[in-house]
Amino acid sequence: MMAEATLTTTAVSPSRWNGGRSPFKVSWGKLMMWYFLVGDSFSFASFLITYGALRFSYESWPAPTDVFSSFPFLEGVKLPLMFVSFMTFTLIMSSVTMVLAVHYGNHEMNRKKVVKWLSLTILGGIIFLGSQAWEWTHLIVDEHMTLSQNPFGAPAFGWLFFTITGFHGFHVLTGVVINCIVTAKVARGDYDRKGSYEMVEKIGLYWHFVDLVWVFVFMAFYLL
Amino acid sequence: MSNEHAESVKMVKLILKTTLWLSIITIVEIVAAVLLTDLFVKNNMLIVLNSFYIIMSLAKAFFIVSVFMHMKFEVKFLALTVLIPMGFLLFAVITMLAEGNSWLEMRNY
């Protein structure tokens, strides 16, 4: 009797906000991942805005084409921005492989394809981290850049570069670790048993966010 | 089943098209930074080039969020609850850049 009454009410007023279903048509986990990313984008924004404020406070700022002009195994050759272009493409491509993994999980529940694309994503993340390790080593060992001073100009440049790319690199690292765990769970068949590949989608959101942040870190340090 | 398959193929095509756009924008940005910076500095027009980088980065962000993160296919209210808070950042950018500029004036004083 009671249930019938409720049904009639829903039929009369089909608002999404009357309860009983998700008004945003998403699961709790996915919604919370979105809101976590909102918070995380504020952390990155505060870093980048600090960068902007300090940069505006100096008369001159190191030119990116001078600072970032080295390439591994090619000592003495000036190749401005070429190595960071390689890093950027690695990250874009790993985002593409991730979106394909999410796609084949949601649409086909195809375990083999998901494992394949997730593994390629992990590979892309590891290549990016390795490249960043080389770049840092080069700047610290060869150019003697530290947190408080650098040979290129404004002293704050080193502090900002290491903290911001470091914070981003740490996100990539945690992304790689989480991807490894989820790949293992996919391979074991956990999500087939559960009947949903949504976990791949949730870590996918995190991974794309890391790529998204790189767009702005790249813009701030290597282009502007 | 075949209808679902066609939809899946369409989605993969959209993903690849987005990838192409992201790559093209990035290549254009890098080419501009390497080849055109000196020219724009000489003519005191660096602000044009910098505005170009900012607009292109925002375009890349739009592509990543809407297609890769599927925001395009979510309920509009969900998108708004994520995007509206970002408006505060505009305020922070304007305030802090103006503040940085006044630090420069104090340094030179």
PDB file of all heavy atoms in Angstrom, chain A residues 16 24 26 30-31 35 41-42 49 53 57 59 85 96 99 103 208 219 223, chain B residues 8 15 19 30 53 57 68 74-75 77-78 81 85-86 96-97 100 107-108:
ATOM      1  N   ARG A  16      14.779  14.760 -10.017  1.00  0.00           N
ATOM      2  CA  ARG A  16      15.927  13.935  -9.649  1.00  0.00           C
ATOM      3  C   ARG A  16      16.262  14.070  -8.168  1.00  0.00           C
ATOM      4  O   ARG A  16      17.002  13.294  -7.609  1.00  0.00           O
ATOM      5  CB  ARG A  16      17.150  14.378 -10.448  1.00  0.00           C
ATOM      6  CG  ARG A  16      17.148  13.964 -11.882  1.00  0.00           C
ATOM      7  CD  ARG A  16      18.538  14.146 -12.408  1.00  0.00           C
ATOM      8  NE  ARG A  16      18.942  15.533 -12.310  1.00  0.00           N
ATOM      9  CZ  ARG A  16      19.099  16.324 -13.375  1.00  0.00           C
ATOM     10  NH1 ARG A  16      18.911  15.857 -14.572  1.00  0.00           N
ATOM     11  NH2 ARG A  16      19.475  17.569 -13.231  1.00  0.00           N
ATOM     12  N   PHE A  24      22.969  12.846  -9.867  1.00  0.00           N
ATOM     13  CA  PHE A  24      24.012  13.067 -10.873  1.00  0.00           C
ATOM     14  C   PHE A  24      24.259  11.830 -11.736  1.00  0.00           C
ATOM     15  O   PHE A  24      25.160  11.826 -12.558  1.00  0.00           O
ATOM     16  CB  PHE A  24      25.325  13.478 -10.198  1.00  0.00           C
ATOM     17  CG  PHE A  24      25.299  14.876  -9.629  1.00  0.00           C
ATOM     18  CD1 PHE A  24      26.275  15.282  -8.738  1.00  0.00           C
ATOM     19  CD2 PHE A  24      24.319  15.779 -10.008  1.00  0.00           C
ATOM     20  CE1 PHE A  24      26.271  16.574  -8.215  1.00  0.00           C
ATOM     21  CE2 PHE A  24      24.303  17.064  -9.494  1.00  0.00           C
ATOM     22  CZ  PHE A  24      25.277  17.465  -8.591  1.00  0.00           C
ATOM     23  N   VAL A  26      25.723   9.141 -11.035  1.00  0.00           N
ATOM     24  CA  VAL A  26      27.042   8.531 -10.869  1.00  0.00           C
ATOM     25  C   VAL A  26      27.097   7.838  -9.514  1.00  0.00           C
ATOM     26  O   VAL A  26      26.306   8.137  -8.617  1.00  0.00           O
ATOM     27  CB  VAL A  26      28.216   9.549 -10.910  1.00  0.00           C
ATOM     28  CG1 VAL A  26      28.493  10.016 -12.308  1.00  0.00           C
ATOM     29  CG2 VAL A  26      27.967  10.703  -9.970  1.00  0.00           C
ATOM     30  N   LYS A  30      32.750   7.569  -7.754  1.00  0.00           N
ATOM     31  CA  LYS A  30      33.163   8.406  -8.870  1.00  0.00           C
ATOM     32  C   LYS A  30      32.965   9.893  -8.544  1.00  0.00           C
ATOM     33  O   LYS A  30      33.803  10.725  -8.850  1.00  0.00           O
ATOM     34  CB  LYS A  30      32.350   8.032 -10.110  1.00  0.00           C
ATOM     35  CG  LYS A  30      33.100   8.246 -11.401  1.00  0.00           C
ATOM     36  CD  LYS A  30      32.325   7.690 -12.566  1.00  0.00           C
ATOM     37  CE  LYS A  30      32.084   8.742 -13.597  1.00  0.00           C
ATOM     38  NZ  LYS A  30      31.226   8.257 -14.684  1.00  0.00           N
ATOM     39  N   LEU A  31      31.852  10.188  -7.875  1.00  0.00           N
ATOM     40  CA  LEU A  31      31.587  11.584  -7.496  1.00  0.00           C
ATOM     41  C   LEU A  31      32.670  12.093  -6.551  1.00  0.00           C
ATOM     42  O   LEU A  31      33.183  13.199  -6.701  1.00  0.00           O
ATOM     43  CB  LEU A  31      30.212  11.686  -6.830  1.00  0.00           C
ATOM     44  CG  LEU A  31      29.712  13.106  -6.595  1.00  0.00           C
ATOM     45  CD1 LEU A  31      29.447  13.814  -7.904  1.00  0.00           C
ATOM     46  CD2 LEU A  31      28.457  13.109  -5.743  1.00  0.00           C
ATOM     47  N   TYR A  35      35.400  15.235  -6.688  1.00  0.00           N
ATOM     48  CA  TYR A  35      35.570  16.300  -5.701  1.00  0.00           C
ATOM     49  C   TYR A  35      36.968  16.286  -5.104  1.00  0.00           C
ATOM     50  O   TYR A  35      37.505  17.333  -4.725  1.00  0.00           O
ATOM     51  CB  TYR A  35      34.472  16.223  -4.627  1.00  0.00           C
ATOM     52  CG  TYR A  35      33.115  16.561  -5.222  1.00  0.00           C
ATOM     53  CD1 TYR A  35      31.941  16.006  -4.730  1.00  0.00           C
ATOM     54  CD2 TYR A  35      33.019  17.425  -6.306  1.00  0.00           C
ATOM     55  CE1 TYR A  35      30.712  16.301  -5.298  1.00  0.00           C
ATOM     56  CE2 TYR A  35      31.810  17.723  -6.890  1.00  0.00           C
ATOM     57  CZ  TYR A  35      30.654  17.169  -6.380  1.00  0.00           C
ATOM     58  OH  TYR A  35      29.453  17.463  -6.953  1.00  0.00           O
ATOM     59  N   SER A  41      43.179  20.226  -7.505  1.00  0.00           N
ATOM     60  CA  SER A  41      43.488  21.288  -8.471  1.00  0.00           C
ATOM     61  C   SER A  41      43.732  22.598  -7.732  1.00  0.00           C
ATOM     62  O   SER A  41      44.506  23.438  -8.195  1.00  0.00           O
ATOM     63  CB  SER A  41      42.392  21.426  -9.513  1.00  0.00           C
ATOM     64  OG  SER A  41      41.183  21.740  -8.902  1.00  0.00           O
ATOM     65  N   PHE A  42      43.127  22.757  -6.550  1.00  0.00           N
ATOM     66  CA  PHE A  42      43.413  23.956  -5.767  1.00  0.00           C
ATOM     67  C   PHE A  42      44.838  23.926  -5.210  1.00  0.00           C
ATOM     68  O   PHE A  42      45.489  24.965  -5.126  1.00  0.00           O
ATOM     69  CB  PHE A  42      42.380  24.139  -4.649  1.00  0.00           C
ATOM     70  CG  PHE A  42      41.159  24.890  -5.120  1.00  0.00           C
ATOM     71  CD1 PHE A  42      40.207  24.267  -5.892  1.00  0.00           C
ATOM     72  CD2 PHE A  42      40.990  26.223  -4.796  1.00  0.00           C
ATOM     73  CE1 PHE A  42      39.109  24.964  -6.356  1.00  0.00           C
ATOM     74  CE2 PHE A  42      39.885  26.931  -5.250  1.00  0.00           C
ATOM     75  CZ  PHE A  42      38.940  26.295  -6.035  1.00  0.00           C
ATOM     76  N   ILE A  49      50.059  29.766  -8.832  1.00  0.00           N
ATOM     77  CA  ILE A  49      49.786  31.181  -8.609  1.00  0.00           C
ATOM     78  C   ILE A  49      50.944  31.815  -7.835  1.00  0.00           C
ATOM     79  O   ILE A  49      51.349  32.951  -8.105  1.00  0.00           O
ATOM     80  CB  ILE A  49      48.424  31.375  -7.909  1.00  0.00           C
ATOM     81  CG1 ILE A  49      47.290  31.016  -8.885  1.00  0.00           C
ATOM     82  CG2 ILE A  49      48.253  32.810  -7.423  1.00  0.00           C
ATOM     83  CD1 ILE A  49      45.936  30.892  -8.272  1.00  0.00           C
ATOM     84  N   ALA A  53      53.123  35.006  -8.990  1.00  0.00           N
ATOM     85  CA  ALA A  53      53.362  36.194  -8.166  1.00  0.00           C
ATOM     86  C   ALA A  53      54.856  36.459  -8.039  1.00  0.00           C
ATOM     87  O   ALA A  53      55.316  37.589  -8.206  1.00  0.00           O
ATOM     88  CB  ALA A  53      52.724  36.008  -6.794  1.00  0.00           C
ATOM     89  N   SER A  57      57.452  39.501  -9.597  1.00  0.00           N
ATOM     90  CA  SER A  57      58.202  40.369  -8.694  1.00  0.00           C
ATOM     91  C   SER A  57      59.678  40.484  -9.097  1.00  0.00           C
ATOM     92  O   SER A  57      60.434  41.181  -8.453  1.00  0.00           O
ATOM     93  CB  SER A  57      58.080  39.871  -7.251  1.00  0.00           C
ATOM     94  OG  SER A  57      58.929  38.778  -7.045  1.00  0.00           O
ATOM     95  N   GLU A  59      62.548  41.459 -12.088  1.00  0.00           N
ATOM     96  CA  GLU A  59      62.721  42.225 -13.324  1.00  0.00           C
ATOM     97  C   GLU A  59      62.905  41.278 -14.515  1.00  0.00           C
ATOM     98  O   GLU A  59      62.294  41.457 -15.570  1.00  0.00           O
ATOM     99  CB  GLU A  59      63.949  43.132 -13.183  1.00  0.00           C
ATOM    100  CG  GLU A  59      64.030  44.259 -14.175  1.00  0.00           C
ATOM    101  CD  GLU A  59      63.137  45.425 -13.762  1.00  0.00           C
ATOM    102  OE1 GLU A  59      63.397  46.052 -12.707  1.00  0.00           O
ATOM    103  OE2 GLU A  59      62.185  45.686 -14.486  1.00  0.00           O
ATOM    104  N   SER A  85      59.487  18.158 -24.690  1.00  0.00           N
ATOM    105  CA  SER A  85      58.446  17.806 -25.666  1.00  0.00           C
ATOM    106  C   SER A  85      58.228  16.301 -25.656  1.00  0.00           C
ATOM    107  O   SER A  85      57.092  15.814 -25.678  1.00  0.00           O
ATOM    108  CB  SER A  85      58.852  18.218 -27.070  1.00  0.00           C
ATOM    109  OG  SER A  85      59.287  19.532 -27.075  1.00  0.00           O
ATOM    110  N   VAL A  96      45.987   8.649 -23.417  1.00  0.00           N
ATOM    111  CA  VAL A  96      45.190   8.003 -24.458  1.00  0.00           C
ATOM    112  C   VAL A  96      45.039   6.511 -24.170  1.00  0.00           C
ATOM    113  O   VAL A  96      43.942   5.957 -24.239  1.00  0.00           O
ATOM    114  CB  VAL A  96      45.836   8.219 -25.846  1.00  0.00           C
ATOM    115  CG1 VAL A  96      45.063   7.482 -26.915  1.00  0.00           C
ATOM    116  CG2 VAL A  96      45.902   9.697 -26.176  1.00  0.00           C
ATOM    117  N   VAL A  99      42.494   6.100 -21.457  1.00  0.00           N
ATOM    118  CA  VAL A  99      41.092   6.286 -21.838  1.00  0.00           C
ATOM    119  C   VAL A  99      40.613   5.070 -22.644  1.00  0.00           C
ATOM    120  O   VAL A  99      39.450   4.653 -22.529  1.00  0.00           O
ATOM    121  CB  VAL A  99      40.878   7.632 -22.573  1.00  0.00           C
ATOM    122  CG1 VAL A  99      41.277   7.600 -24.010  1.00  0.00           C
ATOM    123  CG2 VAL A  99      39.427   8.077 -22.471  1.00  0.00           C
ATOM    124  N   HIS A 103      37.558   2.620 -21.679  1.00  0.00           N
ATOM    125  CA  HIS A 103      36.545   2.351 -22.697  1.00  0.00           C
ATOM    126  C   HIS A 103      36.278   0.847 -22.842  1.00  0.00           C
ATOM    127  O   HIS A 103      35.135   0.405 -22.801  1.00  0.00           O
ATOM    128  CB  HIS A 103      37.006   2.951 -24.025  1.00  0.00           C
ATOM    129  CG  HIS A 103      36.064   2.698 -25.147  1.00  0.00           C
ATOM    130  ND1 HIS A 103      34.904   3.418 -25.301  1.00  0.00           N
ATOM    131  CD2 HIS A 103      36.076   1.786 -26.139  1.00  0.00           C
ATOM    132  CE1 HIS A 103      34.254   2.972 -26.350  1.00  0.00           C
ATOM    133  NE2 HIS A 103      34.944   1.983 -26.887  1.00  0.00           N
ATOM    134  N   HIS A 208      44.132  11.130 -15.784  1.00  0.00           N
ATOM    135  CA  HIS A 208      43.912  12.240 -16.710  1.00  0.00           C
ATOM    136  C   HIS A 208      44.146  13.576 -16.025  1.00  0.00           C
ATOM    137  O   HIS A 208      44.628  14.516 -16.633  1.00  0.00           O
ATOM    138  CB  HIS A 208      42.481  12.222 -17.267  1.00  0.00           C
ATOM    139  CG  HIS A 208      42.206  11.019 -18.095  1.00  0.00           C
ATOM    140  ND1 HIS A 208      43.068  10.595 -19.070  1.00  0.00           N
ATOM    141  CD2 HIS A 208      41.195  10.139 -18.084  1.00  0.00           C
ATOM    142  CE1 HIS A 208      42.586   9.502 -19.620  1.00  0.00           C
ATOM    143  NE2 HIS A 208      41.458   9.199 -19.046  1.00  0.00           N
ATOM    144  N   MET A 219      53.078  24.794 -19.452  1.00  0.00           N
ATOM    145  CA  MET A 219      52.882  26.165 -19.911  1.00  0.00           C
ATOM    146  C   MET A 219      53.698  27.138 -19.047  1.00  0.00           C
ATOM    147  O   MET A 219      54.420  27.991 -19.571  1.00  0.00           O
ATOM    148  CB  MET A 219      51.398  26.524 -19.849  1.00  0.00           C
ATOM    149  CG  MET A 219      51.092  27.944 -20.278  1.00  0.00           C
ATOM    150  SD  MET A 219      49.387  28.383 -19.944  1.00  0.00           S
ATOM    151  CE  MET A 219      49.470  28.857 -18.224  1.00  0.00           C
ATOM    152  N   LEU A 223      56.935  27.306 -21.514  1.00  0.00           N
ATOM    153  CA  LEU A 223      56.471  28.146 -22.614  1.00  0.00           C
ATOM    154  C   LEU A 223      56.508  29.637 -22.282  1.00  0.00           C
ATOM    155  O   LEU A 223      57.074  30.428 -23.013  1.00  0.00           O
ATOM    156  CB  LEU A 223      55.054  27.754 -23.032  1.00  0.00           C
ATOM    157  CG  LEU A 223      54.869  26.350 -23.624  1.00  0.00           C
ATOM    158  CD1 LEU A 223      53.398  26.083 -23.902  1.00  0.00           C
ATOM    159  CD2 LEU A 223      55.667  26.171 -24.899  1.00  0.00           C
TER     160      LEU A 223
ATOM    161  N   SER B   8      30.597   1.988 -29.786  1.00  0.00           N
ATOM    162  CA  SER B   8      31.941   1.814 -29.248  1.00  0.00           C
ATOM    163  C   SER B   8      32.983   2.300 -30.244  1.00  0.00           C
ATOM    164  O   SER B   8      33.926   3.011 -29.887  1.00  0.00           O
ATOM    165  CB  SER B   8      32.158   0.338 -28.905  1.00  0.00           C
ATOM    166  OG  SER B   8      33.481   0.105 -28.540  1.00  0.00           O
ATOM    167  N   ILE B  15      38.029   9.573 -29.394  1.00  0.00           N
ATOM    168  CA  ILE B  15      39.247   9.577 -28.567  1.00  0.00           C
ATOM    169  C   ILE B  15      40.473   9.861 -29.434  1.00  0.00           C
ATOM    170  O   ILE B  15      41.314  10.695 -29.099  1.00  0.00           O
ATOM    171  CB  ILE B  15      39.409   8.229 -27.831  1.00  0.00           C
ATOM    172  CG1 ILE B  15      38.320   8.058 -26.762  1.00  0.00           C
ATOM    173  CG2 ILE B  15      40.793   8.114 -27.192  1.00  0.00           C
ATOM    174  CD1 ILE B  15      38.192   6.645 -26.232  1.00  0.00           C
ATOM    175  N   THR B  19      43.063  13.043 -29.430  1.00  0.00           N
ATOM    176  CA  THR B  19      44.512  12.861 -29.324  1.00  0.00           C
ATOM    177  C   THR B  19      45.230  13.672 -30.397  1.00  0.00           C
ATOM    178  O   THR B  19      46.226  14.346 -30.133  1.00  0.00           O
ATOM    179  CB  THR B  19      44.881  11.377 -29.526  1.00  0.00           C
ATOM    180  OG1 THR B  19      44.028  10.587 -28.731  1.00  0.00           O
ATOM    181  CG2 THR B  19      46.323  11.117 -29.170  1.00  0.00           C
ATOM    182  N   ILE B  30      55.220  24.344 -29.131  1.00  0.00           N
ATOM    183  CA  ILE B  30      56.671  24.162 -29.002  1.00  0.00           C
ATOM    184  C   ILE B  30      57.398  24.870 -30.152  1.00  0.00           C
ATOM    185  O   ILE B  30      58.399  25.553 -29.937  1.00  0.00           O
ATOM    186  CB  ILE B  30      57.030  22.664 -28.956  1.00  0.00           C
ATOM    187  CG1 ILE B  30      56.490  22.045 -27.657  1.00  0.00           C
ATOM    188  CG2 ILE B  30      58.532  22.452 -29.055  1.00  0.00           C
ATOM    189  CD1 ILE B  30      56.406  20.546 -27.679  1.00  0.00           C
ATOM    190  N   TYR B  53      49.676  31.015 -25.760  1.00  0.00           N
ATOM    191  CA  TYR B  53      49.956  29.820 -24.944  1.00  0.00           C
ATOM    192  C   TYR B  53      48.836  29.561 -23.941  1.00  0.00           C
ATOM    193  O   TYR B  53      48.423  28.424 -23.725  1.00  0.00           O
ATOM    194  CB  TYR B  53      51.259  29.983 -24.163  1.00  0.00           C
ATOM    195  CG  TYR B  53      52.504  30.086 -24.992  1.00  0.00           C
ATOM    196  CD1 TYR B  53      53.534  30.952 -24.619  1.00  0.00           C
ATOM    197  CD2 TYR B  53      52.667  29.311 -26.138  1.00  0.00           C
ATOM    198  CE1 TYR B  53      54.688  31.058 -25.359  1.00  0.00           C
ATOM    199  CE2 TYR B  53      53.826  29.412 -26.891  1.00  0.00           C
ATOM    200  CZ  TYR B  53      54.834  30.285 -26.507  1.00  0.00           C
ATOM    201  OH  TYR B  53      55.967  30.388 -27.229  1.00  0.00           O
ATOM    202  N   SER B  57      46.485  26.329 -23.909  1.00  0.00           N
ATOM    203  CA  SER B  57      46.500  25.415 -22.756  1.00  0.00           C
ATOM    204  C   SER B  57      45.091  25.205 -22.227  1.00  0.00           C
ATOM    205  O   SER B  57      44.730  24.080 -21.842  1.00  0.00           O
ATOM    206  CB  SER B  57      47.394  25.966 -21.640  1.00  0.00           C
ATOM    207  OG  SER B  57      48.717  26.043 -22.109  1.00  0.00           O
ATOM    208  N   PHE B  68      38.425  12.901 -22.475  1.00  0.00           N
ATOM    209  CA  PHE B  68      39.153  11.857 -21.743  1.00  0.00           C
ATOM    210  C   PHE B  68      38.505  11.580 -20.383  1.00  0.00           C
ATOM    211  O   PHE B  68      38.437  10.453 -19.936  1.00  0.00           O
ATOM    212  CB  PHE B  68      40.624  12.256 -21.544  1.00  0.00           C
ATOM    213  CG  PHE B  68      41.455  12.129 -22.793  1.00  0.00           C
ATOM    214  CD1 PHE B  68      40.881  11.776 -24.005  1.00  0.00           C
ATOM    215  CD2 PHE B  68      42.818  12.355 -22.750  1.00  0.00           C
ATOM    216  CE1 PHE B  68      41.646  11.665 -25.155  1.00  0.00           C
ATOM    217  CE2 PHE B  68      43.596  12.245 -23.895  1.00  0.00           C
ATOM    218  CZ  PHE B  68      43.007  11.903 -25.096  1.00  0.00           C
ATOM    219  N   GLU B  74      28.458  13.529 -18.698  1.00  0.00           N
ATOM    220  CA  GLU B  74      27.888  13.516 -17.349  1.00  0.00           C
ATOM    221  C   GLU B  74      26.695  14.474 -17.281  1.00  0.00           C
ATOM    222  O   GLU B  74      26.488  15.305 -18.163  1.00  0.00           O
ATOM    223  CB  GLU B  74      28.939  13.932 -16.313  1.00  0.00           C
ATOM    224  CG  GLU B  74      30.220  13.118 -16.319  1.00  0.00           C
ATOM    225  CD  GLU B  74      30.046  11.702 -15.784  1.00  0.00           C
ATOM    226  OE1 GLU B  74      28.927  11.359 -15.353  1.00  0.00           O
ATOM    227  OE2 GLU B  74      31.020  10.944 -15.821  1.00  0.00           O
ATOM    228  N   VAL B  75      25.945  14.357 -16.177  1.00  0.00           N
ATOM    229  CA  VAL B  75      24.840  15.272 -15.925  1.00  0.00           C
ATOM    230  C   VAL B  75      25.397  16.692 -15.773  1.00  0.00           C
ATOM    231  O   VAL B  75      26.445  16.895 -15.160  1.00  0.00           O
ATOM    232  CB  VAL B  75      24.096  14.835 -14.634  1.00  0.00           C
ATOM    233  CG1 VAL B  75      23.065  15.873 -14.231  1.00  0.00           C
ATOM    234  CG2 VAL B  75      23.459  13.483 -14.836  1.00  0.00           C
ATOM    235  N   PHE B  77      24.643  19.259 -14.001  1.00  0.00           N
ATOM    236  CA  PHE B  77      24.834  19.767 -12.637  1.00  0.00           C
ATOM    237  C   PHE B  77      26.144  19.271 -12.029  1.00  0.00           C
ATOM    238  O   PHE B  77      26.815  19.997 -11.296  1.00  0.00           O
ATOM    239  CB  PHE B  77      23.662  19.365 -11.740  1.00  0.00           C
ATOM    240  CG  PHE B  77      22.567  20.393 -11.721  1.00  0.00           C
ATOM    241  CD1 PHE B  77      21.294  20.090 -12.171  1.00  0.00           C
ATOM    242  CD2 PHE B  77      22.827  21.678 -11.256  1.00  0.00           C
ATOM    243  CE1 PHE B  77      20.297  21.050 -12.160  1.00  0.00           C
ATOM    244  CE2 PHE B  77      21.837  22.645 -11.234  1.00  0.00           C
ATOM    245  CZ  PHE B  77      20.565  22.323 -11.699  1.00  0.00           C
ATOM    246  N   LEU B  78      26.504  18.033 -12.342  1.00  0.00           N
ATOM    247  CA  LEU B  78      27.776  17.501 -11.844  1.00  0.00           C
ATOM    248  C   LEU B  78      28.918  18.343 -12.396  1.00  0.00           C
ATOM    249  O   LEU B  78      29.814  18.770 -11.651  1.00  0.00           O
ATOM    250  CB  LEU B  78      27.931  16.033 -12.264  1.00  0.00           C
ATOM    251  CG  LEU B  78      29.313  15.400 -12.078  1.00  0.00           C
ATOM    252  CD1 LEU B  78      29.776  15.487 -10.647  1.00  0.00           C
ATOM    253  CD2 LEU B  78      29.310  13.955 -12.522  1.00  0.00           C
ATOM    254  N   THR B  81      29.110  21.663 -10.563  1.00  0.00           N
ATOM    255  CA  THR B  81      29.663  21.639  -9.201  1.00  0.00           C
ATOM    256  C   THR B  81      31.187  21.512  -9.238  1.00  0.00           C
ATOM    257  O   THR B  81      31.862  21.874  -8.291  1.00  0.00           O
ATOM    258  CB  THR B  81      29.083  20.494  -8.342  1.00  0.00           C
ATOM    259  OG1 THR B  81      29.360  19.250  -8.982  1.00  0.00           O
ATOM    260  CG2 THR B  81      27.605  20.642  -8.117  1.00  0.00           C
ATOM    261  N   PRO B  85      33.560  26.125  -8.729  1.00  0.00           N
ATOM    262  CA  PRO B  85      34.615  26.488  -7.761  1.00  0.00           C
ATOM    263  C   PRO B  85      35.895  26.999  -8.423  1.00  0.00           C
ATOM    264  O   PRO B  85      36.635  27.777  -7.835  1.00  0.00           O
ATOM    265  CB  PRO B  85      34.875  25.180  -7.012  1.00  0.00           C
ATOM    266  CG  PRO B  85      33.620  24.406  -7.138  1.00  0.00           C
ATOM    267  CD  PRO B  85      33.070  24.753  -8.486  1.00  0.00           C
ATOM    268  N   MET B  86      36.148  26.570  -9.673  1.00  0.00           N
ATOM    269  CA  MET B  86      37.352  27.025 -10.374  1.00  0.00           C
ATOM    270  C   MET B  86      37.325  28.531 -10.628  1.00  0.00           C
ATOM    271  O   MET B  86      38.368  29.137 -10.850  1.00  0.00           O
ATOM    272  CB  MET B  86      37.510  26.295 -11.713  1.00  0.00           C
ATOM    273  CG  MET B  86      37.664  24.800 -11.592  1.00  0.00           C
ATOM    274  SD  MET B  86      39.109  24.365 -10.640  1.00  0.00           S
ATOM    275  CE  MET B  86      38.564  22.831  -9.904  1.00  0.00           C
ATOM    276  N   MET B  96      46.963  37.914  -7.044  1.00  0.00           N
ATOM    277  CA  MET B  96      48.348  37.586  -6.735  1.00  0.00           C
ATOM    278  C   MET B  96      49.315  38.132  -7.774  1.00  0.00           C
ATOM    279  O   MET B  96      50.441  38.498  -7.441  1.00  0.00           O
ATOM    280  CB  MET B  96      48.534  36.074  -6.567  1.00  0.00           C
ATOM    281  CG  MET B  96      47.923  35.519  -5.293  1.00  0.00           C
ATOM    282  SD  MET B  96      48.300  36.486  -3.806  1.00  0.00           S
ATOM    283  CE  MET B  96      50.041  36.144  -3.612  1.00  0.00           C
ATOM    284  N   LEU B  97      48.894  38.210  -9.047  1.00  0.00           N
ATOM    285  CA  LEU B  97      49.789  38.791 -10.048  1.00  0.00           C
ATOM    286  C   LEU B  97      49.955  40.289  -9.810  1.00  0.00           C
ATOM    287  O   LEU B  97      51.060  40.828  -9.909  1.00  0.00           O
ATOM    288  CB  LEU B  97      49.280  38.508 -11.462  1.00  0.00           C
ATOM    289  CG  LEU B  97      49.334  37.031 -11.896  1.00  0.00           C
ATOM    290  CD1 LEU B  97      49.016  36.913 -13.374  1.00  0.00           C
ATOM    291  CD2 LEU B  97      50.671  36.386 -11.595  1.00  0.00           C
ATOM    292  N   GLY B 100      52.329  40.540  -6.954  1.00  0.00           N
ATOM    293  CA  GLY B 100      53.701  40.299  -7.397  1.00  0.00           C
ATOM    294  C   GLY B 100      54.289  41.529  -8.058  1.00  0.00           C
ATOM    295  O   GLY B 100      55.452  41.880  -7.843  1.00  0.00           O
ATOM    296  N   ARG B 107      60.906  46.328  -4.647  1.00  0.00           N
ATOM    297  CA  ARG B 107      62.297  45.938  -4.856  1.00  0.00           C
ATOM    298  C   ARG B 107      63.088  47.066  -5.527  1.00  0.00           C
ATOM    299  O   ARG B 107      64.231  47.319  -5.207  1.00  0.00           O
ATOM    300  CB  ARG B 107      62.332  44.713  -5.779  1.00  0.00           C
ATOM    301  CG  ARG B 107      62.866  43.451  -5.143  1.00  0.00           C
ATOM    302  CD  ARG B 107      63.096  42.450  -6.240  1.00  0.00           C
ATOM    303  NE  ARG B 107      62.080  41.388  -6.227  1.00  0.00           N
ATOM    304  CZ  ARG B 107      62.167  40.320  -5.454  1.00  0.00           C
ATOM    305  NH1 ARG B 107      63.175  40.168  -4.630  1.00  0.00           N
ATOM    306  NH2 ARG B 107      61.238  39.384  -5.485  1.00  0.00           N
ATOM    307  N   ASN B 108      62.443  47.718  -6.502  1.00  0.00           N
ATOM    308  CA  ASN B 108      63.125  48.762  -7.264  1.00  0.00           C
ATOM    309  C   ASN B 108      63.171  50.089  -6.533  1.00  0.00           C
ATOM    310  O   ASN B 108      63.906  50.992  -6.923  1.00  0.00           O
ATOM    311  CB  ASN B 108      62.421  48.971  -8.615  1.00  0.00           C
ATOM    312  CG  ASN B 108      62.612  47.781  -9.515  1.00  0.00           C
ATOM    313  OD1 ASN B 108      63.543  46.991  -9.300  1.00  0.00           O
ATOM    314  ND2 ASN B 108      61.754  47.628 -10.491  1.00  0.00           N
TER     315      ASN B 108
END
